[in-house]
Amino acid sequence: MRNWLLAAAAAVILAAPVSANADPMVLKFSHVVAERTPKGQAALKFKEAAERLLPGKVKVEVYPNSQLFGDAKEMEALALGDVHFISTSLSKFDKFTKKVQLFDLPFLFDDIAAVDRFQASKDGQDLLKSMVSKNYLGLAYWHNGMKQISAKKPLIKPEDAKGLKFRIQQSDILAAQFQALGATPQKLAFSEVYQALQVGTVDGQENTWSNILSQKFNEVQTDITESNHGVIDYMVLVNNKWWTGLPADVRDGLTKAMAEATKTNNETADKINEEAKKKIQASNTAKIHQLTPAQRQEWVKAMKPVWAKFEGEIGKDLIAAAMKSNQPKTN
Ligand code: LMR
């Protein structure tokens, strides 16, 4: 009788679903921007969707504003397994792949719709795997928006930027872009930009409306030119070995959650940036300048020669494919 009871008790214990009692897997998502930005909102959507689709199995902790890892450390942290998801600006990969530098070529894409068409194409999708040999896998692209240029003086003609110091992301193309204007580029982590503008270490910067507003750059700059001269978008990255080693049901659920977050991001990025622009316009801070088509053409003329220097490492075919995405019907 006693043996029978022990056997029955053991059977009950073994039959209990292990996962029901196991702690959820804690997944850390780190990024460098504020929550009220396209990336900040998409990361929160990913958390909501992942926890809904994998109830009790995962808990996603989102760390915005470089709280966990800033620009300098997030790639290394992902390699070491100290963070599970990062969503990094496409301008910060030139140490890892020369191809993704494509997105930094000034005046390559007419607008975010063109960027979206390129990212959805085979060439765009292939770039998500361009760092797999270094153990980084891109799961998705997320949009932010087109870049605007700001300083402590109006920038109407390219010559207005001459002699000024501009903060740039970690990108040799962006460095060349400012050198082409006769300006001095300075690579700085995102978390350091506000202070650098405030104390005058740098005179200007380039960023999207939502980043400008949420970081209060408009309070330490007097003028912003709506130049739309380039793009800031992201690749959501995982450690490839970790990702491929996940239980299939968890990887599936996270893939679906990522698709939901990407959809939210695609649907809201433009709106978030437009609202940020309106808030800056309504505030008593930096003045926004529009360029006439002829004035904008001067900026194109000044910046576009940079392409020639990088087309060898990026590849002429890839650049041609990206340019094609400016024509909606043929891509
Ligand atoms: C920057 O460093 O200026 C931005 O790319 C930050 C970000 O992630 O949007």
Side-chain angles (χ1 to χ4, degrees):
M1 178 67 171
R2 188 167 170 269
N3 280 352
W4 181 86
L5 275 177
L6 281 177
V12 167
I13 291 166
L14 287 174
V18 177
S19 58
N21 295 327
D23 289 336
M25 197 187 279
V26 175
L27 302 177
K28 295 184 179 167
F29 194 134
S30 171
H31 66 81
V32 301
V33 297
E35 284 187 344
R36 57 189 168 109
T37 58
K39 175 161 64 180
Q41 292 298 302
L44 291 174
K45 176 69 192 178
F46 175 70
K47 170 184 167 64
E48 181 277 313
E51 292 177 353
R52 170 168 40 78
L53 294 166
L54 294 165
K57 289 196 176 165
V58 301
K59 178 171 181 289
V60 180
E61 295 176 351
V62 180
Y63 297 90
N65 287 317
S66 311
Q67 270 167 20
L68 189 61
F69 297 109
D71 282 335
K73 282 273 184 285
E74 64 178 18
M75 291 295 280
E76 191 189 330
L78 191 65
L80 294 172
D82 292 339
V83 66
H84 304 92
F85 298 90
I86 59 175
S87 176
T88 303
S89 160
L90 298 172
S91 307
K92 293 175 183 167
F93 295 129
D94 69 4
K95 273 204 301 224
F96 304 94
T97 166
K98 296 293 175 201
K99 300 262 168 220
V100 177
Q101 290 189 110
L102 170 82
F103 290 96
D104 277 343
L105 292 175
F107 296 103
L108 173 60
F109 295 106
D110 290 347
D111 49 28
I112 287 293
V115 176
D116 192 77
R117 282 190 290 274
F118 174 71
Q119 289 172 347
S121 72
K122 177 164 183 330
D123 288 306
Q125 290 295 301
D126 285 349
L127 288 180
L128 292 173
K129 295 179 214 108
S130 60
M131 292 179 273
V132 164
S133 64
K134 303 197 167 68
N135 198 27
Y136 296 113
L137 173 68
L139 295 185
Y141 290 107
W142 283 357
H143 295 313
N144 186 337
M146 301 304 281
K147 284 187 290 192
Q148 321 305 338
I149 188 169
S150 72
K152 288 178 185 156
K153 63 180 264 201
L155 301 172
I156 309 301
K157 304 186 294 292
E159 300 86 87
D160 297 331
K162 203 170 170 181
L164 301 184
K165 224 186 228 182
F166 285 87
R167 177 269 172 171
I168 56 162
Q169 303 178 70
Q170 288 294 329
S171 157
D172 289 345
I173 294 191
L174 299 182
Q177 172 194 280
F178 280 103
Q179 279 155 354
L181 299 175
T184 306
Q186 178 150 349
K187 292 179 180 171
L188 274 182
F190 187 59
S191 58
E192 293 166 20
V193 184
Y194 176 85
Q195 207 191 353
L197 291 169
Q198 190 185 36
V199 302
T201 316
V202 292
D203 306 299
Q205 64 85 48
E206 51 171 12
N207 231 304
T208 61
W209 294 116
S210 57
N211 276 350
I212 293 173
L213 179 74
S214 59
Q215 298 299 315
K216 301 191 166 82
F217 295 161
N218 54 310
E219 296 179 14
V220 285
Q221 298 277 265
T222 55
D223 299 85
I224 307 171
T225 299
E226 183 158 31
S227 49
N228 292 317
H229 63 283
V231 60
I232 292 187
D233 261 22
Y234 309 105
M235 200 184 280
V236 186
L237 286 180
V238 288
N239 177 316
N240 189 47
K241 283 203 190 94
W242 170 76
W243 179 253
T244 49
L246 280 173
D249 62 327
V250 173
R251 198 172 47 244
D252 253 36
L254 294 174
T255 302
K256 288 188 182 119
M258 187 55 64
E260 283 193 31
T262 303
K263 187 164 177 279
T264 298
N265 170 262
N266 284 343
E267 287 167 0
T268 57
D270 273 355
K271 192 163 161 264
I272 293 172
N273 277 304
E274 266 311 300
E275 278 168 13
K277 179 182 157 187
K278 284 197 189 116
K279 282 193 180 145
I280 295 171
Q281 255 161 350
S283 71
N284 197 15
T285 57
K287 185 170 177 350
I288 298 176
H289 303 279
Q290 306 294 335
L291 297 174
T292 65
Q295 284 167 337
R296 191 160 187 274
Q297 207 43 45
E298 287 301 306
W299 287 87
V300 175
K301 213 168 111 195
M303 287 180 168
K304 230 173 155 177
V306 163
W307 288 29
K309 202 171 155 202
F310 295 91
E311 63 190 11
E313 35 186 60
I314 296 171
K316 281 190 179 174
D317 289 354
L318 196 59
I319 297 175
M323 285 169 72
K324 237 177 106 186
S325 67
N326 286 322
Q327 305 146 19
K329 287 195 190 98
T330 57
N331 197 24

